[in-house]
Amino acid sequence: MMNRRRRALVGWSCAASVFGALATTAAACSSTDASTASDAGPDRGSIIPQPDAPSWTPANLFPDLWLDGDDVVVAGGAVTQWNDRSGKENHAVTAVTDSGARRPTVVEIHGHKIVSFDGQSRLAVADTPSLQWGTDDFTFFVALRSIGLDDPNFGTIYARTTSTVPNPGVQLFMTRSPSTYLVGAEANHRITSLRSGYDDGLLHLVMLRRSGPSLELRVDGVLAGRVTTDPVSVNASDGNGTIGGAREGDKFLRADIAIILGVRASLAEADIAKVEAYVRERYGF
């Protein structure tokens, strides 16, 4: 016990000596450095810069499909593969039945690449388990600018459907009657936008969300329509999904597509707002 007390007293004595030395040094410096110290000001911040907060990206949503126009493989001036950034390997490629003439090209908007479909081009996304969402909730986004259809009725933006009626699956397309409307569907359950004229050459962000019995279409952050229905399976496992045209080789769209984003969940309003802000900032609209 005496040894522990002796060590404690010695330790305190050493600490006191050091503290005293520091105090003496500070007092000695105060008279000569006073003017310098006063220049700093009482609210001078740390000289160590704080790290920047990481930027938000769609990766935060753990998507099953994330196609970004900046991530494409181009050969001979045409897109041969549109890489999926979700990590699920759901790349969009030239359809097996298509020739190189069906491939889209690349243009730029606001310093970013976007994939341009000329009314006769399309890409295919193969069937994979990660895109078989069954009757689960989902949220699906496409950012595009369109200049019209090369079909008398409608043009395909994205369609992953079965070949049998009522063709269930996630679908976004444009139709005209006589102007162009945006339409979202999961089978015969279709929502047509309240307004038309979306072939105006401007970038629009389209969202289709299923949340339980509710199927909702939103354009540029504004509700464009909603229906209540019994959810149907959107697995569509008997064929590929297509972008820019139907898998039958028709229903083509003339449009530039910047982003396609699919999430197997009904996203909260806060997350939807983040996607909308991300697209607006990235593409300047």
Side-chain angles (χ1 to χ4, degrees), residues 94 98-104 117-123 249 252:
T94 305
D98 287 348
S99 66
R102 292 283 195 201
R103 292 172 180 163
F117 297 83
D118 64 1
Q120 290 297 316
S121 53
R122 63 178 178 167
L123 292 173
F252 288 105

Side-chain angles (χ1 to χ4, degrees), residues 2-27:
M2 289 297 295
N3 287 338
R4 283 200 297 270
R5 287 179 179 175
R6 186 177 295 112
R7 283 195 296 269
L9 289 173
V10 170
W12 167 251
S13 175
C14 292
S17 299
V18 171
F19 179 81
L22 290 173
T24 303
T25 303

